[in-house]
Every structure is written in structure tokens, then in C-alpha cells.
């Protein structure tokens, strides 16, 4: 019978003979006796080999096989007070499925610091560490919680195209591709499509899907492919309705992770801080003053920038707040689909920042056809290139708003990981296309 190591409830003393399968993590040869740590997803079990009691061929195979080889070992389960599981296995047979080459490109249990590049180049090996896998188990749980929260609030999950005919978030970060003799692009966001749906009666939608940005900046928070969690809904009164919806969802996700991800959080040695809702809302103008008081020299209309965001992060941390909105950015800084705040140079837009880093943008959209076309023109784009989108505004479009959250950033901020790449299995950036 094959058994997973899992815990002592799966393989127990009294089971008699069992077969366990996994990776040879470590071998200690002490002359008359050898110990092998066999690892699977759930943990490590000890194989104990008293030389005199083990058939010589079997002893040789097991004690000389390279680390990280994959084997099935059959043997008797014995009680042991020397191991964490309280048991050990005395092998009677082995089947070698796959022998690992030596030397290993990096260790799994060695306590040496391996560069992130080496780890990412050998991600298959890196992911053998429970604390690395825990990050992705939490990410999987995060997505499940997002879906639960959105369904609870009446949203429908949708899928919009990732091969598109025009960009939504500015030309600078568009990836162009060849599409049967025509120019096409990889979608930077589902923005235009989720808005078009607002004219249909599918009036609360969300999407979890890849977004592509030709980011030329090599930072710890930018990648060229990330997972965007977008929400869009109608009949809003103002952008505060959108902010409240986001915080409802994030609050559900944080609480769910704390509760249902407790095991993984313990492996990582992390705790999740649940900040009570509502999250504070700072106005852009207020933030400008805070960052300039802290020594920056930004003019009204300037982007707060990474440095500015960091300063606001520190300012809010002193007030015990990790999560806060920065609202009403200058309209000139924001894309054409955002609604202007008439009579001011600002707009009904916001970012949600988490520990000094933007994790989401959103706002109220311009739903009035003429105003939308005027904004497209004002930004220097040709409205004729966007009729596929603006047509949906021509025949009855309700007021609406929404947001996009980069879930890789949300995860890395939540777990205080130093780089967004830590939260992506196989990250893509300017330098990295493989693995
Ligand atoms: P924005 O361009 O601000 O807004 O993107 C939304 C969120 O996506 C994440 N993000 C990234 N994550 C990793 N690497 C990148 N290069 C990267 N670029 C963006 C961030 C960011 O806050 N359509 C709007 C959203 C909306 O208004 O609904 C949009 O895409 O977490």
C-alpha cells in the first residue's frame, strides 16, 4: 500500500509494512547505522537503516543514492522517540523512480543564502522548499477568497480578450504582436471590455487574468506579466462606492487568509494584520503636502512617484494604517476613461496603497459619450481608433466605476516579501523570459 508521509495519522505505528514515496532529502551515514530523510509535499519521514539488519544491496542503494532522487521505499513502521513524527521506517525494498544528477544547482535544505536569480533560474528546485510553496498555496487561497467575496456581492466572473486591437493604459507599455498581417497587442488590462459590459445588464463583473506591460523599468514591483483582479459595476453614486467595494473584498480576503491559511502562514513565520474598515482616504493634494514637508519638491500635477508613495506609507504606518486610498489625482495623470472633477484639475480616481506601495487603481468612469470622446482627444488619441469601445456608450450607458488590483503585489505586500517576483512562479521581466 502506498502512503503519503503527510503526518503520523497517515503513516502510523502499527501499520506494519507501508510504502512511502518522495525525494531523498538528506542522508547521514554513521557507520553501523544510516538515516535518510525522505520528503514529500506534507513533510519528512525518517528511514532508519541498521547495517546488520538490512540486506546489503538495499543498504548500498539507499545510502549512496544522490540527494533529491525520487524513490519508493517499502518498510516496517516502528515507533521512535528521536523523530518529529514519533516513528521511523526500516526499509525492506526500494524502487528508484528518478536519480538526481550531481551536483544540485542549488540546495533545498542548506542554510546558505542563494541569490534570487539562481533561485528563479532553478524555480523547480526552489519550490521544493516548504516555505516557498507556502507562498503559492496562499496565492491559490487568495484567488478562491476573491471569487467567494465577489460572488457574495453579486458579481459575475468574466473573461475578456488578451489579444487586442488597441491599448487602454498608454502606448509606452504596449507589447505589439503580429496578427495575421495586422498589428495587435497583448492586453494591458481588461479596462475597455469590462466597461463595455456595463452597458449590457451584466452590471457587476470581475475578472482574474493575465495583464501584460512592456515595462522598461527594472524594479522590485514591476514585471511584464502579472495577474490583474478587475472589478467593474454600475449604478454607483460616486467613487467612494468603488472604494467601499474594494475594502469589503480585501477585508474578506485578509480575514480568510488569516483563518484558512494559518498553516502556511506558520511555515512562513508571518502574521496578517487585519485593519478595520473603512480604510482612510487621503486626497492627492493632502499627500502632496505630506511628501513636500518630508523634503520632496513636487508640484501640483506631478506623480507622487515611488519615493512619494514610500513617504506616505511611513506617514500612515505611524498612524497604524497599512491600507489607505489616495484619491482625486490630477486628471492629466490619469487615463481617458476616468471622470474629470469639473472645475478642478483633478479627477474621480484613486489608488489603493498597501505599506507604501500602490496595489490598485480605480475610479469613477466617464460614462457620457461626448465627454468620453473629448477626453480621448484631449489625451492625444484618435477617437476613431476606439469606436469599438465608445459605441457602447452611445446607446445607453449607466454611471459606473471599478478597479484593477495586481494580485502579485497584494500578496507580496501582505507577506512582506521583498520583491513582487517572489509571489510569481515564473516571473517575466525585461531580462527574464525563461524558465
Ligand atoms: P493600473 O495601470 O494602475 O490600472 O494597474 C492596476 C494595478 O495592476 C498592478 N500592476 C502591476 N503589477 C506588477 N507589475 C506591473 N508592471 C504592473 N502594472 C500594474 C498594480 C496596479 O495598481 N485599468 C486600470 C485599473 C482600473 O481603473 O480599473 C489599470 O490597469 O497593482
Amino acid at each position: 500500500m502506498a502512503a503519503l508521509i503527510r503526518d503520523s495519522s497517515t503513516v502510523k505505528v502499527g501499520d506494519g509494512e507501508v510504502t512511502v514515496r518522495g525525494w531523498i532529502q538528506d542522508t547521514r551515514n554513521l557507520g553501523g547505522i544510516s538515516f535518510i530523510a525522505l520528503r514529500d509535499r506534507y513533510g519528512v519521514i525518517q528511514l532508519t537503516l541498521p547495517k546488520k539488519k538490512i540486506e546489503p544491496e538495499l543498504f548500498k542503494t539507499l545510502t549512496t543514492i544522490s540527494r533529491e532522487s525520487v524513490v519508493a521505499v517499502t518498510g516496517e513502521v516502528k515507533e521512535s522517540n528521536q523523530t518529529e513524527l514519533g516513528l521511523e521506517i526500516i526499509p525492506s525494498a526500494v524502487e528508484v523512480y528518478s536519480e538526481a544528477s550531481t551536483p544540485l544547482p542549488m540546495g533545498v535544505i542548506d542554510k546558505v543564502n542563494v541569490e534570487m536569480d539562481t533561485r528563479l533560474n532553478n524555480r523547480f528546485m526552489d519550490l521544493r522548499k516548504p516555505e516557498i510553496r507556502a507562498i503559492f498555496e496562499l496565492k491559490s487561497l487568495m484567488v478562491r477568497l476573491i471569487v467567494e467575496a465577489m460572488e457574495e456581492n453579486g458579481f459575475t466572473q468574466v473573461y475578456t480578450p488578451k489579444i487586442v486591437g488597441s491599448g487602454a493604459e498608454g502606448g509606452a507599455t504596449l507589447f505589439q504582436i503580429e496578427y495575421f498581417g495586422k498589428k495587435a497587442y497583448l492586453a494591458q488590462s481588461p479596462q475597455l471590455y469590462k466597461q463595455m459590459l456595463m452597458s449590457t445588464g451584466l452590471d457587476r463583473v470581475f475578472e482574474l487574468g493575465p495583464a501584460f506591460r512592456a515595462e522598461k523599468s527594472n524594479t522590485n514591483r514591476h514585471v511584464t506579466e502579472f495577474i490583474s483582479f478587475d472589478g467593474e459595476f454600475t449604478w454607483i453614486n460616486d467613487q467612494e462606492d468603488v472604494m467601499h467595494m474594494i475594502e469589503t473584498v480585501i477585508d474578506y480576503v485578509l480575514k480568510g487568509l488569516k483563518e484558512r491559511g494559518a498553516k502556511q502562514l506558520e511555515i512562513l513565520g508571518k502574521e496578517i494584520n487585519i485593519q478595520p474598515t473603512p480604510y482612510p482616504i487621503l486626497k492627492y493634494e493632502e499627500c502632496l503636502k505630506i511628501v513636500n514637508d518630508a523634503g520632496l519638491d513636487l508640484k501640483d500635477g506631478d506623480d507622487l512617484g515611488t519615493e512619494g508613495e514610500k513617504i506616505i506609507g511611513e506617514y500612515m504606518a505611524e498612524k497604524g494604517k497599512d491600507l489607505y486610498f489616495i484619491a482625486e489625482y490630477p486628471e492629466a495623470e490619469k487615463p481617458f476613461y476616468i471622470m474629470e472633477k469639473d472645475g478642478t484639475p483633478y479627477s474621480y480616481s484613486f489608488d489603493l496603497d498597501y505599506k507604501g506601495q500602490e496595489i490598485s487603481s480605480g475610479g469613477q468612469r466617464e460614462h457620457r459619450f461626448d465627454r468620453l470622446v473629448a477626453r480621448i482627444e484631449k489625451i492625444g488619441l484618435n477617437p476613431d481608433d476606439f469606436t469599438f469601445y465608445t459605441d457602447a456608450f452611445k446607446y445607453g450607458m449607466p454611471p459606473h466605476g471599478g478597479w484593477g488590483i495586481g494580485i502579485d503585489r497584494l500578496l507580496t505586500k501582505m507577506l512582506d516579501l521583498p520583491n513582487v517576483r517572489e509571489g510569481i512562479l515564473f516571473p517575466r521581466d525585461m531580462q527574464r523570459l525563461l524558465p
Side-chain angles (χ1 to χ4, degrees):
M1 184 199 63
L4 293 169
I5 294 167
R6 205 182 288 257
D7 54 39
S8 50
S9 66
T10 306
V11 176
K12 337 181 261 311
V13 178
D15 276 355
E17 194 165 85
V18 297
T19 299
V20 286
R21 298 190 274 200
W23 289 261
I24 302 270
Q25 178 164 284
D26 199 23
T27 308
R28 280 185 300 142
N29 294 318
L30 308 178
I33 191 160
S34 293
F35 300 103
I36 294 173
L38 186 73
R39 182 190 74 243
D40 77 359
R41 171 179 172 183
Y42 302 98
V44 173
I45 202 163
Q46 180 171 293
L47 312 177
T48 303
L49 294 88
K51 196 168 185 179
K52 285 197 182 130
K53 293 192 185 155
I54 305 277
E55 200 254 310
E57 194 61 25
L58 174 64
F59 187 87
K60 189 164 168 238
T61 306
L62 273 172
T63 53
T64 56
I65 194 164
S66 52
R67 281 210 279 174
E68 296 301 316
S69 294
V70 174
V71 297
V73 174
T74 302
E76 190 78 15
V77 183
K78 289 259 161 47
E79 194 173 350
S80 162
N81 53 14
Q82 311 283 318
T83 68
E84 217 176 294
L85 291 182
L87 54 83
E88 60 192 358
I89 290 176
I90 315 295
S92 54
V94 62
E95 185 181 345
V96 178
Y97 291 129
S98 163
E99 202 169 336
S101 295
T102 53
L104 297 172
M106 58 177 277
V108 173
I109 50 165
D110 309 312
K111 291 274 175 268
V112 284
N113 274 337
V114 184
E115 295 270 325
M116 191 171 71
D117 259 345
T118 309
R119 289 179 35 223
L120 292 179
N121 288 341
N122 299 283
R123 199 54 150 164
F124 66 92
M125 204 80 197
D126 192 38
L127 283 157
R128 292 184 189 184
K129 299 177 199 156
E131 67 276 20
I132 304 294
R133 279 201 312 276
I135 296 171
F136 296 97
E137 287 167 1
L138 287 169
K139 194 171 188 177
S140 165
L141 175 59
M142 172 188 272
V143 168
R144 200 168 332 138
L145 291 161
I146 288 173
V147 174
E148 283 176 15
M150 295 307 278
E151 284 182 346
E152 198 139 296
N153 284 285
F155 283 74
T156 305
Q157 188 163 9
V158 297
Y159 301 93
T160 62
K162 302 304 155 208
I163 301 175
V164 294
S166 75
E169 316 295 345
T173 61
L174 268 177
F175 274 120
Q176 191 177 310
I177 54 170
E178 232 258 333
Y179 193 73
F180 306 110
K182 288 200 201 93
K183 257 194 226 168
Y185 309 97
L186 297 181
Q188 295 162 302
S189 75
Q191 184 64 38
L192 308 184
Y193 292 93
K194 63 177 182 171
Q195 280 193 265
M196 284 156 72
L197 292 175
M198 295 302 98
S199 76
T200 67
L202 273 177
D203 59 2
R204 288 185 165 220
V205 301
F206 75 104
E207 178 163 2
L208 281 154
F212 304 92
R213 307 273 172 111
E215 293 283 358
K216 288 171 198 81
S217 40
N218 194 9
T219 73
N220 64 0
R221 63 202 202 140
H222 287 102
V223 280
T224 51
E225 178 178 346
F226 63 96
I227 300 297
S228 186
F229 158 39
D230 278 79
E232 199 73 21
F233 61 112
T234 54
W235 315 120
I236 61 167
N237 293 310
D238 52 38
Q239 60 163 350
E240 284 203 21
D241 286 349
V242 183
M243 293 190 240
H244 290 317
M245 186 61 77
I246 297 191
E247 73 198 3
T248 303
V249 176
I250 299 232
D251 190 55
Y252 183 88
V253 169
L254 293 181
K255 285 178 178 154
L257 281 165
K258 194 177 174 104
E259 215 174 278
R260 285 147 69 177
K263 203 174 90 196
Q264 284 81 4
L265 288 168
E266 196 190 322
I267 292 173
L268 279 164
K270 304 277 181 184
E271 274 186 35
I272 289 185
N273 177 31
I274 313 283
Q275 180 180 311
T277 56
Y279 301 157
I281 303 173
L282 302 168
K283 292 238 169 106
Y284 164 84
E285 283 182 276
E286 226 177 311
C287 291
L288 209 57
K289 186 167 171 347
I290 296 167
V291 300
N292 283 342
D293 285 350
L296 295 196
D297 182 22
L298 297 185
K299 313 262 171 312
D300 196 359
D302 285 350
D303 185 35
L304 294 175
T306 315
E307 196 50 35
E309 279 176 16
K310 230 174 99 195
I311 293 170
I312 307 284
E314 283 155 13
Y315 174 86
M316 292 307 283
E318 273 172 30
K319 299 186 183 310
K321 304 289 181 193
D322 288 343
L323 284 150
Y324 43 89
F325 293 100
I326 302 178
E328 299 193 8
Y329 279 85
E331 56 93 356
E333 282 292 310
K334 286 287 168 182
F336 58 78
Y337 48 79
I338 284 290
M339 187 182 270
E340 294 175 6
K341 187 176 177 186
D342 284 342
T344 77
Y346 305 111
S347 63
Y348 292 115
S349 62
F350 62 80
D351 283 358
L352 173 64
D353 282 27
Y354 193 5
K355 300 176 187 168
Q357 189 178 101
E358 177 206 316
I359 58 157
S360 176
S361 301
Q364 176 160 12
R365 318 305 187 182
E366 182 50 77
H367 65 277
R368 297 160 296 185
F369 175 78
D370 294 340
R371 293 287 302 263
L372 179 62
V373 171
R375 239 187 104 67
I376 293 175
E377 271 170 348
K378 188 168 165 186
I379 248 155
L381 296 168
N382 183 356
D384 292 345
D385 295 338
F386 291 92
T387 50
F388 77 95
Y389 159 71
T390 52
D391 275 356
F393 292 71
K394 230 174 171 172
Y395 307 101
M397 172 63 93
H400 63 277
W403 70 86
I405 299 180
I407 67 162
D408 317 287
R409 280 197 195 170
L410 172 61
L411 180 77
T412 42
K413 278 288 148 186
M414 200 178 67
L415 300 177
D416 292 315
L417 303 175
N419 195 310
V420 71
R421 290 163 184 77
E422 295 280 358
I424 301 175
L425 282 172
F426 300 103
R428 290 284 171 267
D429 59 33
M430 262 173 91
Q431 274 84 36
R432 187 171 285 284
L433 189 56
L434 294 170

